[in-house]
Amino acid sequence: MAVEVVQFLIRKFADSLAEEAVAAAELPFGAQFHDMRDELEKAAVFPANADELRECLYELNDLLAECRMLTKCPIRRNFFTQPNAWRFSKTKKRVTAVRHRVLQCVGNNPDGKAAASQEDGAAATAGLDRWTTSWLGHTKIHGFGQQLAELEAMAFKDCGAAGKLTGVGIVGMGGIGKTALAQLLFSSPRARASFCPRIWMCMSRTTCAGADRRKEVLQGILMALGHEEDAILSMDGSNSLAELVIAVHQQLKGKRYLIVFDDVWHIDSWYADVVGVQNAPQRTDDWSERLAFGLPKDKGGLVVVTSRLKQVAEAMVGESYLHHVQRSDSESCWAIFKDALSQEKGAVDLATFNSMKQEILHTCGGLPLAAKTMGDIFAGSSFSSPASTSTSQELSKIDRINNGNSGSLT
């Protein structure tokens, strides 16, 4: 069924791109998206390339949603001096990387190793990192009311205390809704009223070959704070890491801020105990030793960490401040499934889906993203009546999608 899944995802990508036709000139990287659509629509899909194409298409559909958000930047002429510039740069690398992989999959990369251009080759080593933002968009999020209340009680308890930086960790298996819960907290009225600035940092599982991830994190924070890009890039000397930590400290000092580190996979001593009380180093070189040195505690504030790995979040914020995300109840998963299914523009046999409710809920296993994936697949398939295909075949296909893509569920 892998081939059928890829064909569905190609249709989904092409349809989503067609919706952007009116504003094509404003869509970032629109030419690259249309080139990839053309290549994918004429490509031969077979078992040998289906798995790789599937991963590329998941990334492409996410990227298209990200670029829609970039078009909403209110000040286009100042785009590259605003916090969105950092996001734009990261998105460009991801578009270039996925284009390289698509060309390889469909056989339009002659040597199979070098990218179609020098830029492609440089970015391809970045991999296809999962990327998240704080933007909720128009997505309905079901079933997190109680968990959000519990998380807010933990997060806001001491966040206003001078000299104390509060930290909370959100942990749980892939697809269970850690990022969604962090987005709800980040965008809540209480967070908006309590913190300024609020910063969202997506922590990639992998990075560009040779890049110093510590510097990327600090540069991202400075960019989100509106620091001049030229000034950030000028910190590139032998002591650049210390300079970046000092710059972050100076920009945040005297402010009650909120920072989300989403999807953290790796931990070492540099990231450890980011909320602990730390005295400012006496020597300039020592500033580079800890991320915590860049996070002042004078006005209070909040650091949120999400991770599948309990030990990662625990090392950053402490064992006593972890929230374990619970599986969603059946009615919440059903609401998520129906929301995704409602994307279908044609007729949908709701009676058939209602008769399949228990089987569908069993397949998604309480995972919100699995429920959404199932709704997306059914909405884009020809499954409009019992005669079109068997229930067991469709659910078996979706179960394989969920299991095969478990590495990207968060």
Side-chain angles (χ1 to χ4, degrees):
M1 292 290 182
V3 172
E4 290 87 344
V5 173
V6 170
Q7 291 170 341
F8 156 71
L9 291 171
I10 291 174
R11 291 197 303 273
K12 179 180 178 181
F13 173 62
D15 291 345
S16 297
L17 192 58
E19 294 175 3
E20 301 295 331
V22 175
E26 295 293 325
L27 181 69
F29 319 113
Q32 291 93 319
F33 281 125
H34 282 84
D35 287 346
M36 284 186 279
R37 179 203 60 192
D38 294 343
E39 294 293 343
L40 287 165
E41 287 183 334
K42 66 184 180 183
V45 181
F46 43 88
N49 69 357
D51 287 343
E52 180 75 1
L53 277 173
R54 182 189 63 192
E55 295 303 320
C56 290
L57 283 156
Y58 277 123
E59 178 76 354
L60 274 175
N61 283 300
D62 285 344
L63 277 168
L64 189 57
E66 172 81 4
C67 286
R68 285 186 183 131
M69 182 180 65
L70 290 175
T71 63
K72 300 181 184 298
C73 176
I75 308 176
R76 299 294 298 180
R77 65 181 180 277
N78 292 331
F79 185 84
F80 290 99
T81 61
Q82 299 298 319
N84 283 318
W86 179 255
R87 187 180 302 153
F88 187 93
S89 175
K90 287 291 185 181
T91 303
K92 179 180 179 181
K93 290 180 181 178
R94 292 172 64 214
V95 171
T96 303
V98 73
R99 177 173 176 269
H100 168 74
R101 287 182 66 177
V102 166
L103 291 177
Q104 285 187 322
C105 287
V106 301
N108 285 351
N109 192 0
D111 58 13
K113 297 179 181 179
S117 70
Q118 185 176 2
E119 183 183 20
D120 285 349
T125 57
L128 295 182
D129 299 331
R130 178 179 174 276
W131 193 254
T132 68
T133 74
S134 62
W135 189 54
L136 285 169
H138 301 294
T139 303
K140 296 179 182 178
I141 299 181
H142 299 273
F144 281 109
Q146 181 60 36
Q147 294 200 65
L148 179 61
E150 294 172 0
L151 182 62
E152 287 183 332
M154 181 188 297
F156 298 140
K157 180 180 179 181
D158 298 318
C159 65
K164 180 177 178 60
L165 182 62
T166 301
V168 295
I170 303 174
V171 297
M173 66 183 297
I176 204 165
K178 300 181 298 297
T179 295
L181 190 55
Q183 288 170 329
L184 288 171
L185 178 67
F186 186 92
S187 301
S188 68
R190 189 168 179 181
R192 291 177 179 274
S194 301
F195 303 105
C196 184
R198 292 175 301 121
I199 301 168
W200 183 280
M201 288 299 301
C202 177
M203 310 291 285
S204 299
R205 186 178 181 181
T206 58
T207 59
C208 296
D212 188 333
R213 180 56 180 158
R214 299 170 301 173
K215 291 184 180 179
E216 290 183 345
V217 169
L218 296 166
Q219 289 169 341
I221 293 173
L222 288 171
M223 190 72 74
L225 289 167
H227 207 57
E228 291 293 336
E229 185 176 8
D230 290 344
I232 296 172
L233 297 178
S234 68
M235 301 177 198
D236 197 28
S238 58
N239 205 22
S240 57
L241 185 59
E243 292 180 29
L244 288 166
V245 174
I246 293 171
V248 168
H249 183 92
Q250 291 174 338
Q251 291 291 315
L252 292 176
K253 189 172 178 61
K255 301 173 182 175
R256 188 197 289 184
Y257 55 87
L258 164 61
I259 300 182
V260 174
F261 295 105
D262 184 48
D263 200 23
V264 184
W265 284 84
H266 177 69
I267 190 70
D268 57 32
S269 59
W270 192 78
Y271 295 94
D273 193 21
V274 293
V275 298
V277 177
Q278 301 289 338
N279 295 322
Q282 298 299 312
R283 298 172 60 251
T284 300
D285 291 349
D286 294 340
W287 281 86
S288 64
E289 294 179 359
R290 302 286 294 276
L291 172 60
F293 292 148
L295 305 179
K297 287 80 178 173
D298 54 327
K299 291 295 184 180
L302 177 63
V303 172
V304 179
V305 175
T306 78
S307 180
R308 299 185 197 183
L309 308 176
K310 175 185 175 183
Q311 63 269 30
V312 168
E314 183 179 321
M316 293 183 73
V317 301
E319 183 178 9
S320 301
Y321 296 92
L322 299 185
H323 176 83
H324 297 265
V325 184
Q326 305 300 313
R327 289 177 182 265
S328 294
D329 61 86
S330 59
E331 289 308 311
S332 295
C333 284
W334 187 241
I336 293 168
F337 172 81
K338 290 195 296 183
D339 281 350
L341 189 65
S342 67
Q343 298 173 17
E344 174 60 45
K345 296 180 175 60
V348 175
D349 189 345
L350 293 178
T352 297
F353 288 111
N354 286 330
S355 70
M356 297 162 51
K357 180 176 179 179
Q358 293 307 315
E359 193 171 358
I360 291 171
L361 292 176
H362 174 75
T363 302
C364 74
L367 299 179
L369 191 51
K372 182 181 183 303
T373 300
M374 293 168 67
D376 286 341
I377 295 295
F378 277 121
S381 72
S382 59
F383 190 72
S384 57
S385 67
S388 63
T389 186
S390 73
T391 299
S392 59
Q393 283 180 323
E394 284 295 321
L395 291 176
S396 176
K397 176 173 71 174
I398 293 169
D399 196 33
R400 280 194 290 272
I401 296 171
N402 291 332
N403 292 332
N405 195 42
S406 60
S408 64
L409 296 177
T410 299

